[in-house]
Amino acid sequence: MKTGRIPQRGYTLVELLVAMSIGIILVGAVIVAYVTQTQTYNTTTSQAGTQNAENAIAAIVTPIIRATGFVGCLTNSQPIPNINAGGPPPLLTLGTAPTLVYGYDANGTAGTGTLTLTQNAANDTTSTDWTSFGGASGLDASLSGQVEGGSDVLIALGAAPGSQPAALSAQAVTGATTLTVLQNAASPVPLAAGQLVALSDCSKTNAFQISTVATAGAVTTVNLPAASTNPLASPVAGLNNAFPANSQLIPLQQTALFVAQGAGGQSVLTLATYTYTGGTWGWQYSPLVPGVDTMQVLYGIGTPGTGVPSEYVPASAVTPANSIYSIRLAFLLEGQPGSGSTPNATSFTVLGTTVNVPTDTRLRRVYDMTINLRNAS
């Protein structure tokens, strides 16, 4: 019987090269699939994020602007004495008549200009980088250093969001120093010392800051300030300054909206409320929506008494002869890095302003909204 060794055979060089090629192709396919899936995930997540941002902006901003000028049942075209007495700062005064909405244009915008943004820019400390109503130069000192360059600023004064008016229980005579109001004992209207409120009977409205307040069950006693700022001692021209029973007393809130540098350097839509704390007035800042590159604002103005805007103009074009009936806002929203293709769009039109953004891989889009003022007519 004949025996022998079984010949041993390895892979040839050609076979190894073929195997390596196939492996490289497979690995490449996996990498491409992974990159594509990652890109799709980032884009989808960013789109969902910007949609959530739009929903949040609409939910928060709309009621604030809708309530602008709502000071009881009076329209915002009628006179309101004492609107600056002890409460709102002078920035709400346009010309010689008080106004319930005010704004600042960032220089280089105004609906026709060009704005070049730096990613997560620091807040601007140069107040002259803004122009306000009537073409006046300079951002109010109380907001200096709090706003990112290139962001417009909108100031609104009106009923505090979610608030309901309380009713006077008896007529308030001219010169009275106290008001008695009826309350729903289960859900009373929150009234506090130092708070800004408006008293209205639909033919006139006066605003004042509460001195002291006491609530007992369904009745609240509101003490008015000194005679110099007492709304019942400052008559509206041509009107009886007494307020009849069931006149409305409603809490007011002054609010500012703008883009600021937030935590971690990210640009964020910010809400500031002007509050009375410790005997002084000042802004309290609340970051609302991160990833907002800029905010631009136009004002719907028209002939007083018509209630209909005839054109939309920047803040610098609003004059005492105009009535503001609606507000148009636009926001440039950004996604996370890698959410867009490369190269991404680097220029956007935001309410007529050309906004140049850094070249990166962020998905961006413009969200705009038009809101009518509740008491425009």
Side-chain angles (χ1 to χ4, degrees), residues 18-305:
V18 170
M20 290 175 62
S21 298
I22 294 173
I24 291 173
I25 292 172
L26 291 175
V27 171
V30 171
I31 292 174
V32 169
Y34 173 77
V35 171
T36 301
Q37 290 293 330
T38 300
Q39 177 66 47
T40 301
Y41 173 79
N42 288 340
T43 300
T44 302
T45 301
S46 183
Q47 289 174 337
T50 53
Q51 182 63 59
N52 289 338
E54 292 176 6
N55 294 338
I57 290 172
I60 296 171
V61 172
T62 299
I64 291 173
I65 296 179
R66 282 281 292 158
T68 298
F70 179 61
V71 286
C73 54
L74 192 75
T75 70
N76 61 14
S77 63
Q78 293 171 279
I80 306 173
N82 298 321
I83 200 67
N84 292 324
L91 56 81
L92 279 172
T93 299
L94 172 60
T96 58
T99 181
L100 299 176
V101 61
Y102 205 81
Y104 295 87
D105 290 327
N107 291 352
T109 61
T112 58
T114 298
L115 174 65
T116 300
L117 297 179
T118 301
Q119 187 68 40
N120 300 330
N123 292 336
D124 190 345
T125 58
T126 305
S127 63
T128 53
D129 284 343
W130 283 269
T131 303
S132 61
F133 280 13
S137 177
L139 182 66
D140 188 82
S142 65
L143 291 169
S144 182
Q146 302 295 331
V147 185
E148 272 193 17
S151 170
D152 285 353
V153 179
L154 175 66
I155 311 288
L157 176 65
S163 63
Q164 299 293 327
L168 289 189
S169 63
Q171 176 163 318
V173 298
T174 300
T177 58
T178 62
L179 300 174
T180 302
V181 299
L182 297 176
Q183 293 275 31
N184 182 334
S187 56
V189 176
L191 298 171
Q195 187 174 16
L196 188 70
V197 294
L199 180 62
S200 175
D201 66 359
C202 301
S203 66
K204 58 184 178 297
T205 290
N206 285 30
F208 63 96
Q209 184 184 5
I210 294 175
S211 294
T212 59
V213 62
T215 298
V219 176
T220 296
T221 301
V222 176
N223 293 309
L224 276 57
S228 61
T229 55
N230 184 337
L232 300 181
S234 305
V236 178
L239 296 175
N240 177 4
N241 208 45
F243 285 79
N246 295 320
S247 293
Q248 297 180 343
L249 186 71
I250 190 165
L252 300 182
Q253 177 176 295
Q254 181 171 265
T255 305
L257 289 167
F258 50 85
V259 174
Q261 186 183 66
Q266 187 175 26
S267 299
V268 57
L269 179 63
T270 300
L271 179 147
T273 54
Y274 205 61
T275 57
Y276 187 77
T277 306
T280 60
W281 287 93
W283 294 105
Q284 290 190 348
Y285 301 93
S286 301
L288 295 180
V289 181
V292 180
D293 285 336
T294 189
M295 180 186 83
Q296 301 297 313
V297 183
L298 294 177
Y299 301 82
I301 61 173
T303 303

Side-chain angles (χ1 to χ4, degrees), residues 356-373:
N356 298 320
V357 299
T359 302
D360 55 26
T361 59
R362 295 176 183 269
L363 181 70
R364 288 181 173 87
R365 67 181 180 188
V366 177
Y367 173 58
D368 61 80
M369 58 198 302
T370 300
I371 305 171
N372 295 323
L373 304 189

